[in-house]
Every structure is written in structure tokens, then in C-alpha cells.
Amino acid sequence: PSPPCSDAEEEEGDAVGNTVYSKHWLFSVLTRLIEVIAPAEPDPAASPEGARTELDEEMENDICKVWDMSMDEDVALFLQEFNAPDIFMGVFAKSKCPRLTEICVGILGNMACFQDICMSISKDENLGQVLLQRLCDSDSPTLLETSRLLLTCLSQPEVANVWVERIRENPSVYDCVCFIMSSSTNVELLVKVGEVVDKLFDLDEELMLSWIKNGTCRSVGPSVDDSPEELPDFKIVPCILEAAKQVRSDNPEGLDVYMHILQLLTTVDEGIQAIVQAPDGGKETWSLLYDLVCQELCQPDDPPIIVQEQKTVLASILSVLSAMFASQTEQEYTRMRKSKSCLFFLIRILQYMEGCGKRAVDNSKESEQEETGRTDVNEEDFHLKILKDICCELLSNMLQELTKENTLEGLHQGHLNEQTCSCAFQNLLPLYFASVESFLEVLREADQTLADNLEKRFPSLKVHT
């Protein structure tokens, strides 16, 4: 429903800022909200503890209108001047109504989109602590709005460090986030919580390290009643994997987020060890990523342009696989018998990237005189270069592990031929000369003619005797 408008003819100066919304109406709703959480007389609809557990329909409609209106900066500033955040603090402290809590957090989230208000909310230590406590709520809609609010604040450089420090000093945030990632089936909530974690790790390596090392003691977490509930001894990697499995088929953007979180973990030694020294030796992580690249992403029947659409998630996945392969090559799951399909997948990516590159050259010739969009093209090139670098590094490591049996199987299945090998060599040389030379020796045993043809195409590989 549309929010009520101010009738300028009835009451001059009633409009909020430059909007048509009524100040008087907003006052009345906020006043009624105060009465809901602190009624003057006992409410027959209240719970035995004295607090309402449900909103009446009229109040819910009105407060939802305020939620919509709060996306307007003038309304958000008006709510700030009326001390709406303090009113919401009272709601969080006294309300037993999940819907009311959700709406109030949502209104704060809209208000936080504006820099000055976000700074005011963020600097309020009491409000900050209360909002972090909302992460331990048992109501999924409230958790979603809380996560949105946190992400909004973390995305504003002026206050991001305030929230990082606050979260670092509040161990319950780790417990609650892990609980959500490991147990929720709400895809929208999992994606938003993942975005919060991704932003936190990207902003502060120290916090990421502390979360990697966390999970060494029993934790107290969310509960549906007032008594604390003992949670499992959470480890960050299994929780990330569980969330990724939930979002993988329903939300590609969410999968991208969780793969990037894993990639951030591999930027520190402790993160790599957390992945490969899990109770299963990293097998679950490898299996999930391997399944994604071999069954879902950049498949043979996809057009080459798919590599453009999937470049960020591909870069994250291959980066994690590369880190695991380099650190744990003795693990059974990384041996070539299991990983050869991944190797062929890497060559396919390089082939698709060559196709995209040719198309980009053609397009640039057609629009050479056009300035618009040139920055976007350069950004596309940058992300594709990152993907190519990661792809080549992993491919070079895998080629060194390729056996004669693997090579013969690849030749028989058509994955290895002069075209695919030439594509691989073209991208790997000269940086990964040793890997290519090692593979060529194995290939010579499997197919002397193909090896000779490749030597002719790449003279630098010709064996000098």
C-alpha cells in the first residue's frame, strides 16, 4: 500500500522534507509503536510475560508503510531526528513479536543507506551491540534484515572499521554466523550472510585468521527460548561448504560469494591448512569444487561466451583447487586418476578464452571510435587475465603429474589432441616451460607422432642432442 500523503491544504508545513509524506502521520505511528512495547494498560492480546507476540493488522500495515517510506532520505532524516533508533532499541529489548523486530531492523537498514545516518547508527555502541545480538535470533526474516543492515554498514568505508572491531570483540558473532551457514535452508539468508562474511574477510585479515583458528571450545548460540543452547564445536570451512551446497543450484551469485570466501582463506597459510587438514583431509572441499567444474560450470555444450559470465566463480574455484593441489599432492583425491577431468576442463577454459578474445578483437575494431564502455571492457579483460593466470598455474602443476596411462586415456577419449595440446602450450609457454617439457616426454611415449608435431609448432621444445 502507498504511504499516506500530507494534505498541504489542511495543514501547512506537514510534509516531510521535499516529499508528500505526512509528518503528523509518522508521529502517530511512532507514538503507537512506543505504546505497543510499553502499554499504559494490560493488553489482552499480550503473552503471559506481558509482551505482544503478534501485531494487529492495522499496526503492521502502518509500520510496513514506514519501512517503505524510510528508503527516502528526507524520511530517514526525519526518523533520525525523532530518535527512531532509540525507539527501535526499546522494541529489540521488550518485544516478543518477531515480525515487529524484523520490520524495525529493516527500517534501520534503509536508514543506514545514507552516510550521515549510518555514521550515527554505527557510533552508538549500545545499538551496535544490540544489533549484533540479532544475529542470534531464531527468526529467519529478522536474521536476513540484520545481515542486510550489517552489509550496508560494512560497505561504507567511514564506519566499516567500527563494525569490524565490534565483531572481532564479540565472539558470539562467529558462533551465530556458523550456526546459520551450517543449518539454514533459507537460500536468501545464506547468500546475505555469506556476503557479510566475504566482506569481513576482505576488510580484515586479522579477523579472518581469528575465525580460522576459532572453534576450539564449546559455544553458546541461538535458542528459541531464553535459555542458552549449546552449539557444536564449529569450524569455519565445513560451515562454508554446507552453505555452498545449499545455494549452488538455486543462486549462482550466492555460490560465487561462498567460493570467494574459500579463495580468501587460501590467501593465508592458516586458511590453506584449515582446508586440507580437516578431519577428511580436505576431501569434501575437493569433491565439491571438482564436481562443480566437471559437472556444472563451463561444460562442452556451452558457448565460449560462458567463460565471461562465470569468470569470477571460476577464478575462485580454480584458485582453491590450485592451492590444495600444490599443498597436498600426496592426497589420494588429488592424484591424476581422479583429477584428469579437471585438467581437460582447464584446457577447455583456455580454448573458450581464446574464442572470447577473438570476438573481443572483432568488437573493438567495430567500435574503435566509441569511448563509451571502454572502462568496462578493460575491467572484463582484467578479470579474464586473472582467470587465465590461475588456470595456467593449476594446469602446469597437473601436467607434471600426468602419467602415460592418463595420457593414453585422454587421447582415446579425444580430450588430448593437437588442437587442445597446442592451446595449452600456447598459454603455458614460456613461463611454465618445465611443466610443458615434462608433459611432452610422457606424450612422446604415448603418441610419438603428436609429440613430433607439437615440437614443430613450438621450436623451443625441440630436444637438442
Side-chain angles (χ1 to χ4, degrees):
S2 300
C5 299
S6 170
D7 191 336
E9 294 181 357
E10 288 186 10
E11 188 173 350
E12 185 177 354
D14 185 48
V16 177
N18 293 321
T19 73
V20 295
Y21 304 137
S22 166
K23 288 181 182 178
H24 178 76
W25 183 84
L26 272 170
F27 272 127
S28 69
V29 175
L30 292 174
T31 302
R32 285 160 55 205
L33 180 59
I34 295 172
E35 293 173 353
V36 167
I37 58 176
E41 299 179 2
D43 190 336
S47 65
E49 291 78 13
R52 295 177 62 95
T53 57
E54 293 185 6
L55 283 173
D56 63 64
E57 185 176 351
E58 182 182 0
M59 184 63 195
E60 181 171 351
N61 285 337
D62 286 346
I63 196 68
C64 280
K65 291 174 185 177
V66 176
W67 191 359
D68 289 338
M69 294 165 65
S70 63
M71 291 187 289
D72 185 287
E73 185 172 9
D74 286 335
V75 174
L77 288 169
F78 178 81
L79 292 172
Q80 176 78 358
E81 293 170 6
F82 194 73
N83 295 321
D86 291 339
I87 297 175
F88 299 152
M89 280 269 286
V91 171
F92 303 148
K94 299 179 180 180
S95 174
K96 297 289 185 179
C97 175
R99 177 62 172 160
L100 181 59
T101 302
E102 173 204 354
I103 295 170
C104 290
V105 177
I107 294 172
L108 277 176
N110 284 348
M111 294 171 64
C113 293
F114 306 105
Q115 183 177 334
D116 290 343
I117 300 176
C118 186
M119 292 181 68
S120 175
I121 291 173
S122 300
K123 290 178 180 178
D124 187 329
E125 186 62 29
N126 290 332
L127 180 57
Q129 293 296 335
V130 168
L131 288 172
L132 290 183
Q133 291 172 11
R134 293 299 97 212
L135 286 173
C136 293
D137 206 293
S138 59
D139 181 59
S140 290
T142 299
L143 290 172
L144 177 59
E145 294 308 319
T146 304
S147 301
R148 282 176 171 157
L149 171 57
L150 289 177
L151 186 62
T152 299
C153 294
L154 289 169
S155 299
Q156 300 210 24
E158 297 79 10
V159 299
N161 288 339
V162 173
W163 287 98
V164 169
E165 184 65 26
R166 188 173 285 148
I167 290 170
R168 189 190 296 126
E169 294 175 354
N170 195 328
S172 67
V173 174
Y174 171 87
D175 297 322
C176 296
V177 166
C178 285
F179 182 80
I180 294 168
M181 290 193 298
S182 63
S183 61
S184 178
T185 57
N186 185 319
V187 171
E188 189 178 6
L189 171 60
L190 287 172
V191 172
K192 196 57 62 178
V193 168
E195 289 175 344
V196 171
V197 174
D198 188 43
K199 191 67 176 178
L200 283 171
F201 285 4
D202 196 38
L203 286 170
D204 194 82
E205 184 176 295
E206 182 183 339
L207 184 141
M208 181 174 71
L209 285 168
S210 70
W211 281 25
I212 291 171
K213 298 171 183 176
N214 216 328
T216 57
C217 59
R218 304 295 288 182
S219 307
V220 173
S223 175
V224 293
D225 52 30
D226 292 332
S227 60
E229 176 185 350
E230 193 174 84
L231 294 178
D233 185 13
F234 286 123
K235 298 288 186 181
I236 191 69
V237 173
C239 295
I240 294 169
L241 293 178
E242 189 60 38
K245 291 174 187 175
Q246 286 289 334
V247 304
R248 64 182 287 186
S249 53
D250 295 324
N251 195 300
E253 291 78 15
L255 179 64
D256 198 344
V257 168
Y258 280 99
M259 293 302 101
H260 190 255
I261 295 173
L262 284 177
Q263 181 184 8
L264 287 174
L265 293 182
T266 64
T267 60
V268 294
D269 290 339
E270 293 86 346
I272 297 174
Q273 295 308 309
I275 293 173
V276 299
Q277 292 183 357
D280 62 356
K283 184 177 180 180
E284 185 178 359
T285 303
W286 182 274
S287 297
L288 173 62
L289 303 186
Y290 183 82
D291 189 49
L292 286 170
V293 298
C294 292
Q295 302 296 330
E296 295 186 20
L297 299 173
C298 199
Q299 294 304 293
D301 55 349
D302 288 329
I305 195 66
I306 195 70
V307 78
Q308 286 272 16
E309 299 173 9
Q310 299 175 349
K311 57 184 179 295
T312 55
V313 68
L314 286 171
S316 296
I317 290 173
L318 296 182
S319 182
V320 178
L321 288 174
S322 183
M324 295 181 70
F325 194 87
S327 64
Q328 289 287 85
T329 52
E330 74 278 7
Q331 288 286 356
E332 191 272 338
Y333 60 77
T334 63
R335 291 175 185 165
M336 294 311 301
R337 183 172 61 84
K338 294 278 187 179
S339 304
K340 62 182 184 301
S341 294
C342 185
L343 183 145
F344 304 144
F345 173 80
L346 297 173
I347 297 176
R348 185 191 312 139
I349 289 179
L350 293 174
Q351 288 180 299
Y352 282 9
M353 290 179 72
E354 285 186 353
C356 290
K358 292 176 182 177
R359 179 175 298 183
V361 170
D362 293 339
N363 291 340
S364 66
K365 289 180 180 178
E366 293 176 5
S367 58
E368 192 171 341
Q369 303 303 320
E370 296 180 11
E371 294 294 330
T372 306
R374 189 162 293 181
T375 301
D376 295 336
V377 172
N378 290 337
E379 186 175 346
E380 289 286 329
D381 291 344
F382 174 73
H383 287 296
L384 285 175
K385 184 181 183 304
I386 291 176
L387 174 58
K388 178 182 176 181
D389 291 345
I390 296 170
C391 187
C392 287
E393 180 182 4
L394 180 54
L395 179 59
S396 70
N397 288 333
M398 287 189 161
L399 281 179
Q400 293 187 75
E401 302 295 324
L402 203 63
T403 65
K404 179 181 177 180
E405 291 73 21
N406 300 143
T407 304
L408 286 169
E409 186 175 354
L411 291 168
H412 177 71
Q413 294 175 346
H415 296 303
L416 290 178
N417 51 47
E418 187 167 347
Q419 181 184 12
T420 57
C421 290
S422 294
C423 176
F425 288 10
Q426 184 70 41
N427 285 278
L428 293 176
L429 293 173
L431 185 59
Y432 298 103
F433 181 88
S435 297
V436 174
E437 191 175 44
S438 172
F439 167 65
L440 193 61
E441 288 297 322
V442 175
L443 182 61
R444 188 173 287 109
E445 296 178 23
D447 190 330
Q448 180 68 50
T449 301
L450 178 56
D452 290 342
N453 290 341
L454 289 169
E455 281 187 346
K456 291 176 182 177
R457 295 191 64 171
F458 299 90
S460 62
L461 294 173
K462 193 168 181 63
V463 178
H464 299 284
T465 57

